[in-house]
């Protein structure tokens, strides 16, 4: 999973003429899901978003010392399949992005994880698959790109066992 994290003084998502979500100070996060992503990536990204230190310490003014959770700020997540693009000439190709229903389920899992780990009412999102207008007031500006690390075969097998309750198939008989 890939995220573009923007520290904001405010952000909102509009679909048509309707504001579907808005936040005050916090993070606006564009979330891309690749075809290879799974629950391990969700866990990694959720923890990173809630713990990354992008805010100054209130008492000292010292920069890069506190997270969203430290300051009880808000997070606005917006699904963004275009983060997993590659250019073929001058035309973008999105074949690396996870497709439709599967991506929506994994994105929903990320939102649930964030709400479970933090304060549910502080986690907002846009409307998956909709044409959205994202309005941000970038603070700083501070913008970072992060991506979940590649998983080993052992990590993938462990996840498979935990979700299916079965052991991986062996070619040795």
């Amino acid at each position: 999973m890939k995220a573009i994290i923007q520290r904001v003084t405010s952000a909102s998502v509009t679909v048509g003429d309707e504001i579907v979500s808005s936040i005050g100070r916090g993070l606006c996060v564009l979330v891309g899901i690749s075809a290879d992503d799974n629950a391990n990536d969700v866990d990694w990204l959720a923890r990173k978003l809630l713990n990354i230190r992008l805010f100054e310490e209130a008492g000292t003014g010292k920069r890069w010392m506190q997270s969203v959770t430290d300051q009880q700020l808000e997070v606005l997540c917006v699904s963004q399949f275009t983060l997993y693009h590659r250019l073929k000439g001058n035309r973008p190709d999105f074949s690396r992005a996870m497709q439709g229903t599967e991506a929506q389920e994994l994105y929903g899992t990320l939102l649930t994880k964030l709400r479970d780990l933090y304060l549910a009412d502080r986690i907002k999102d846009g409307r998956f698959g909709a044409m959205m207008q994202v309005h941000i007031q970038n603070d700083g500006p501070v913008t970072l790109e992060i991506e979940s690390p590649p998983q080993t075969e052992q990590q993938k097998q462990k996840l498979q066992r935990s979700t299916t309750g079965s052991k991986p198939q062996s070619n040795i008989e």
Side-chain angles (χ1 to χ4, degrees), residues 95-151:
S95 60
R96 293 178 47 216
M98 187 176 282
Q99 300 298 306
T101 305
E102 191 180 8
Q104 187 171 9
E105 287 174 14
L106 206 56
Y107 178 71
T109 302
L110 173 65
L111 294 171
T112 299
K113 185 75 167 181
L114 288 166
R115 290 175 177 135
D116 289 347
L117 292 172
Y118 185 41
L119 303 168
D121 65 326
R122 302 287 170 115
I123 305 298
K124 309 286 176 78
D125 70 297
R127 188 171 293 156
F128 189 92
M131 288 296 291
M132 297 175 275
Q133 291 74 51
V134 181
H135 306 273
I136 65 161
Q137 184 69 44
N138 204 320
D139 182 19
V142 173
T143 303
L144 301 176
E145 178 182 1
I146 62 173
E147 188 167 11
S148 56
Q151 296 172 39

Side-chain angles (χ1 to χ4, degrees), residues 1 5 8 28 32 36 38 49 68 74 92 102 110 112 119-120 139 141 151 154:
M1 293 184 109
I5 304 167
V8 298
C28 181
D36 297 327
N38 59 41
L49 291 175
V68 166
E74 296 176 291
E102 191 180 8
L110 173 65
T112 299
L119 303 168
D139 182 19
Q151 296 172 39
Q154 184 179 15

Side-chain angles (χ1 to χ4, degrees), residues 28-173:
C28 181
V29 183
L30 305 177
V31 178
I33 303 171
S34 81
D36 297 327
D37 287 336
N38 59 41
N40 290 337
D41 299 289
V42 168
D43 289 345
W44 183 90
L45 186 58
R47 288 186 207 330
K48 192 60 75 175
L49 291 175
L50 294 176
N51 293 299
I52 193 165
R53 296 177 185 179
L54 298 180
F55 299 92
E56 68 282 343
E57 198 169 47
T60 65
K62 201 170 182 181
R63 293 182 181 188
W64 318 114
M65 296 301 289
Q66 293 195 318
S67 67
V68 166
T69 57
D70 293 330
Q71 294 195 5
Q72 306 274 303
L73 302 175
E74 296 176 291
V75 178
L76 174 61
C77 292
V78 179
S79 61
Q80 185 77 36
F81 76 94
T82 61
L83 292 180
Y84 278 103
H85 74 281
R86 63 179 157 225
L87 290 178
K88 290 187 172 182
N90 290 325
R91 175 177 245 165
D93 170 58
F94 305 111
S95 60
R96 293 178 47 216
M98 187 176 282
Q99 300 298 306
T101 305
E102 191 180 8
Q104 187 171 9
E105 287 174 14
L106 206 56
Y107 178 71
T109 302
L110 173 65
L111 294 171
T112 299
K113 185 75 167 181
L114 288 166
R115 290 175 177 135
D116 289 347
L117 292 172
Y118 185 41
L119 303 168
D121 65 326
R122 302 287 170 115
I123 305 298
K124 309 286 176 78
D125 70 297
R127 188 171 293 156
F128 189 92
M131 288 296 291
M132 297 175 275
Q133 291 74 51
V134 181
H135 306 273
I136 65 161
Q137 184 69 44
N138 204 320
D139 182 19
V142 173
T143 303
L144 301 176
E145 178 182 1
I146 62 173
E147 188 167 11
S148 56
Q151 296 172 39
T152 66
E153 194 56 41
Q154 184 179 15
Q155 289 170 313
K156 291 177 187 177
Q157 288 176 0
K158 182 178 179 183
L159 177 64
Q160 184 182 12
R161 285 192 305 272
S162 71
T163 58
T164 63
S166 63
K167 294 184 179 182
Q169 300 277 329
S170 174
N171 293 335
I172 303 171
E173 294 191 22

